[in-house]
């Protein structure tokens, strides 16, 4: 059982944690779409857009993972 202050912190963190999880899932979907676009290889312009999207999705996912790790370390995940 958590102390009242720790429980309050966890309760306050739940909406943000859910948003982080949702953002990570969305970036997974962006990465899937981008990979399909790269594979389709219609023309260099299209491939450039898809490669950019893939790279940005990977960056955002890394940021989300780091923030989740921070939340876990501070008792704000659960």
């Amino acid at each position: 059982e958590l102390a009242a202050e720790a429980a309050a912190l966890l309760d306050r963190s739940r909406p943000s944690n859910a948003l982080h999880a949702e953002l990570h899932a969305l970036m997974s979907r962006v990465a899937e779409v981008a990979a399909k676009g790269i594979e389709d290889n219609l023309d260099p312009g299209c491939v450039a857009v898809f490669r950019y999207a893939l790279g940005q999705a990977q960056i955002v996912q890394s940021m989300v993972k780091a923030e989740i790790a921070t939340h876990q370390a501070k008792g704000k995940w659960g």
Side-chain angles (χ1 to χ4, degrees), residues 49-62:
V49 169
F50 292 124
R51 286 189 194 280
Y52 181 80
L54 178 60
Q56 294 303 303
Q58 291 168 339
I59 289 169
V60 172
Q61 282 186 309
S62 293

Side-chain angles (χ1 to χ4, degrees), residues 32-56:
E32 290 171 13
V33 170
K36 288 178 183 178
I38 293 166
E39 184 180 318
D40 183 48
N41 195 24
L42 177 62
D43 61 50
C46 289
V47 172
V49 169
F50 292 124
R51 286 189 194 280
Y52 181 80
L54 178 60
Q56 294 303 303

